[in-house]
Amino acid sequence: MSRVDVLNGNLAAAHAARLSRPEVIAAYPITPQTPVVEYLTQFHADGSLPCQMSEVESEHSAMSILTGASLTGVRCYTATSSQGLALMYEPYFRASTLRLPIVMNIVNREMISPQTVWGGPQDSMTLRDAGWLQIYVEDNQEILDTTIQAFKVAESAEVLLPINVCYDGFYLSHMTERVEIPSQEEVDAFLPPYRSRHIILDPETPMAVDPLTNGRLLMEYRRKHMAAQQAALVAIEKADAEYARRFGRSWGGVIDEYRTEDAEYLMVSLGSVCGALRECIDDARARGVRVGLLKIRSLRPFPRARVIEALAGKKGFGVIDRNVSFGTNTGILFQEIRAALYSAGSRYPAASFIGGLGGEDLTLEIVAGAIKSTIETVDAGKIDNEASWLVRPERKA
Amino acid sequence: MGDTLSYFRQDMLPHIWCPGCGHGTATGALVRAIDRLHLDKNKVCIVSGIGCSSRAVGYLDFDTLHTAHGRALAFATGIKLARPELKVIVMTGDGDCTAIGGNHFIHAARRNIGITTIVMNNNIYGMTSGQYSPMTPKGFFGTTAPYGNVERNFDLCELAKSAGATYVARATSYHVPLLIDLIEKALLNPGFSVVEALVQCPTYMGRKNKIGGPVEMLNWIKEGTVNVKAAAALPPEKLKDKILIGELYNKQEGEYTADYDALIARVQRKYDKFQGGLYGCASNSD
């Protein structure tokens, strides 16, 4: 039987990892991910997480250990944030190009400089082209459910790619919410043990992993890797549907929509700010403004077809990015949405916003302002080529 | 002694360290050593990595650089190479210096580059709330060692010595006058100097290991250490499990940036001669 508890996001992630029965965990503490490692250590010490655990000397070593472990065919888990992810970049890219279905929670934290420890998904969004699957979630229940599903998606035969389940530092990692924790039996029935068949270091059947490879063959690997990313679009939806059948909760698969059916305007974002957007959309709706939310869950693979479908027939949209894409004048998500629509031959008026960097709060007031501004931009038929900055008015001394 | 407060960015105070933390004592010792040597503030650059220890630079009124986790010595190496005339000081902790930054530490020591490194060793990762570090003694507790640490710990001073540092010393937040003296001598050493400052972390190390508050921890540090001079006259049984403090190693060898400059001068002379000899003209004057 499942049970209900009050959990912060990090504990929700740790429970999900425990229930998924990883065989090797290697991690290095970094704010705001640290409690995940502590909870897992405690589970391990209590005997409720029978696995091999290593507290390594850096994130580079954490991912390297998991690469070795995954090559022996076992299920692996880790978590990191920000600078830790940046340090991990070398083995991070390699884990995906070796097609190792490692699951890693990224507790999103802003990138330095200037020095900061607060939230923002710049860390993982910057690495969107490194070959991993990346799902962004909105609340603590979604962290738990999606992390369990992540193992299933990553390990499915047509995918075999590592996956990040990304959640906001502090806003989710350190805030408590009601979370339903499934029982071990329920999770076991959903998630069978992982057994590697595609790449394995086994003395009985020797295999040379990663010899020097020419460009022609390398391109063949890349082509297959890209196809696997596309296959993940289906695998994510399948895992979500099966999870919904077994546990009664669906998160929408690769995207989630809120009050979009008869909407004229759509607000697009990802992560915890979607909570504020839902409230502001309810407010606007109460005043007769037909606005809805398109939440991007899967950034990689990018759900192009579902985005096109969700926007079909709308007047226009606005995107709130909690990240920057230097050199493009907008955030990353805005570019992704625009690119997807171009391929469908669709041209919508669109507003671009950047805000909430370095843990800055996107208050209901600010988000409501972004909705109002989106409607003005769309009604004027404009397409932003430069983001508007969402900032709190400075407090008067 | 001058006014040590003038070495601090007073608008950045109060600091973030917990009540009873030893980092302030070690930072104060560094400032007093600098004051004694009358170093020109504008010729001192202080570099730190990440962790509680590394917050020190934010409070110090010098040119300071707060860098990435474990990388203070790498950044400092760049500074010293580009501006050898500067007094470059690194403030780091046991986690920052010996785990994620361990490789930089041994190579800075091997090169004998003129950097003074103050390692504030509180035997634990304080900032991320008490994980065991490579300097947590075996058997001690941390949030990631709920049944005691199974790993062996580094002896930082032995590590520094064997990696090639030319000045190695250890003192504690209890033995403050000694700590100031040793930092002063370290700052005068032209090569790579390491001063390990044993400091108390009552919040995590003290609590997790039931050592007590700041006072009990200072006593614990006092009882656990023996001055290297006194140790010479003590029988081995009296030295069992004791940590030696004082100057542990001091040997003059070529400093890296000085050797580098000497190499450039030597090769330049040879090149000039070669140009003159072969083409019968002076070196290129363009």
Side-chain angles (χ1 to χ4, degrees), chain A residues 304-305 307-315 317 337-350 383:
Chain A
R304 189 176 60 87
V307 166
I308 291 168
E309 193 188 333
L311 279 160
K314 311 300 180 203
K315 279 190 177 173
F317 64 93
I337 302 284
R338 260 200 322 194
L341 292 172
Y342 188 85
S343 70
S346 313
R347 194 167 186 281
Y348 295 90
I383 299 178

Side-chain angles (χ1 to χ4, degrees), chain A residues 28-31 34 37-38 41-42 45 55 57-59 87 115, chain B residues 50 66-67 69 71 99-100 125 128-129 131-132 143-144 146-147:
Chain A
Y28 188 74
I30 181 168
T31 305
T34 305
V37 188
E38 288 176 11
T41 313
Q42 194 61 53
E55 191 201 296
E57 72 286 345
S58 81
E59 288 84 357
L87 180 60
Q115 290 277 358
Chain B
I50 293 290
H66 187 191
T67 71
H69 198 14
R71 314 298 159 194
I100 196 164
Y125 285 96
T128 49
S129 65
Q131 295 76 21
Y132 70 88
T143 48
T144 47
Y147 293 116

Side-chain angles (χ1 to χ4, degrees), chain B residues 70 73-74 92 96-98 101-111 117 119 155-161 163 165 192-194:
Chain B
L73 278 165
T92 177
D96 193 52
C97 180
T98 65
N103 208 29
H104 298 301
F105 182 74
I106 56 173
H107 290 286
R110 179 179 60 79
R111 292 191 189 102
T117 304
V119 185
D155 179 327
L156 184 89
C157 291
E158 287 297 322
L159 178 66
K161 238 162 76 178
F192 190 67
S193 315
V194 177

Side-chain angles (χ1 to χ4, degrees), chain A residues 308-325:
Chain A
I308 291 168
E309 193 188 333
L311 279 160
K314 311 300 180 203
K315 279 190 177 173
F317 64 93
V319 180
I320 298 183
D321 266 300
R322 288 185 58 210
N323 61 83
V324 295
S325 175

Side-chain angles (χ1 to χ4, degrees), chain B residues 82-102:
Chain B
R83 297 283 302 273
E85 75 279 15
L86 295 181
K87 185 63 80 181
V88 180
I89 300 167
V90 162
M91 299 184 82
T92 177
D94 50 307
D96 193 52
C97 180
T98 65
I100 196 164

Side-chain angles (χ1 to χ4, degrees), chain B residues 140-156:
Chain B
F140 276 65
F141 296 87
T143 48
T144 47
Y147 293 116
N149 178 21
V150 294
E151 298 181 16
R152 295 189 301 164
N153 58 303
F154 274 130
D155 179 327
L156 184 89

Side-chain angles (χ1 to χ4, degrees), chain A residues 15-258:
Chain A
H15 274 299
R18 172 181 63 79
L19 288 164
S20 302
R21 296 187 186 274
E23 288 154 279
V24 177
I25 296 174
Y28 188 74
I30 181 168
T31 305
Q33 158 265 30
T34 305
V36 178
V37 188
E38 288 176 11
Y39 295 134
L40 290 171
T41 313
Q42 194 61 53
F43 292 153
H44 186 52
D46 293 346
S48 61
L49 177 59
C51 70
Q52 300 294 321
M53 260 192 103
S54 178
E55 191 201 296
V56 288
E57 72 286 345
S58 81
E59 288 84 357
H60 192 282
S61 306
M63 187 51 68
S64 300
I65 284 184
L66 293 193
T67 299
S70 187
L71 281 169
T72 70
V74 301
R75 181 173 285 161
C76 297
Y77 171 85
T78 187
T80 193
S81 298
S82 183
Q83 304 309 117
L85 180 62
L87 180 60
M88 196 191 270
Y89 180 65
E90 189 202 26
Y92 178 81
F93 202 107
R94 195 177 211 207
S96 88
T97 46
L98 277 174
R99 306 287 300 271
L100 302 174
I102 296 164
V103 174
M104 173 162 73
N105 282 120
I106 296 178
V107 191
N108 287 129
R109 165 180 150 183
E110 189 58 73
M111 292 298 294
I112 63 171
S113 289
Q115 290 277 358
T116 173
V117 295
W118 297 284
Q122 187 77 54
D123 50 359
S124 53
M125 291 184 79
T126 301
L127 300 193
R128 66 197 178 279
D129 294 336
W132 284 57
L133 310 173
Q134 286 192 342
I135 299 183
Y136 291 77
V137 299
E138 180 184 346
D139 64 35
N140 294 353
Q141 183 72 60
E142 195 180 355
I143 294 173
L144 184 140
D145 292 343
T146 309
T147 303
I148 293 170
Q149 290 175 33
F151 287 93
K152 185 126 182 167
V153 172
E155 294 165 5
S156 57
E158 62 282 14
V159 177
L160 294 167
L161 285 173
I163 184 165
N164 296 136
V165 177
C166 310
Y167 57 93
D168 284 312
F170 299 105
Y171 288 123
L172 296 185
S173 67
H174 285 64
M175 297 287 182
T176 48
E177 289 182 332
R178 175 197 186 279
V179 177
E180 202 173 313
I181 309 171
S183 69
Q184 187 64 64
E185 295 69 38
E186 289 171 312
V187 175
D188 287 347
F190 172 77
L191 186 65
Y194 168 60
R195 285 298 162 252
S196 173
R197 285 182 182 84
H198 65 304
I199 182 167
I200 186 155
L201 295 175
D202 175 4
E204 297 299 312
T205 52
M207 175 187 273
V209 174
D210 237 0
L212 198 61
T213 303
N214 66 36
R216 198 173 153 274
L217 192 51
L218 183 139
M219 283 197 280
E220 179 66 11
Y221 279 109
R222 293 290 183 271
R223 194 182 60 74
K224 287 181 170 160
H225 190 150
M226 283 185 149
Q229 280 267 350
Q230 292 310 300
L233 286 169
V234 181
I236 293 167
E237 306 256 312
K238 261 171 68 181
D240 181 70
E242 189 193 339
Y243 199 87
R245 270 201 313 280
R246 290 177 181 273
F247 301 93
R249 284 184 300 277
S250 165
W251 297 99
V254 291
I255 62 166
D256 184 33
E257 296 181 66
Y258 180 66

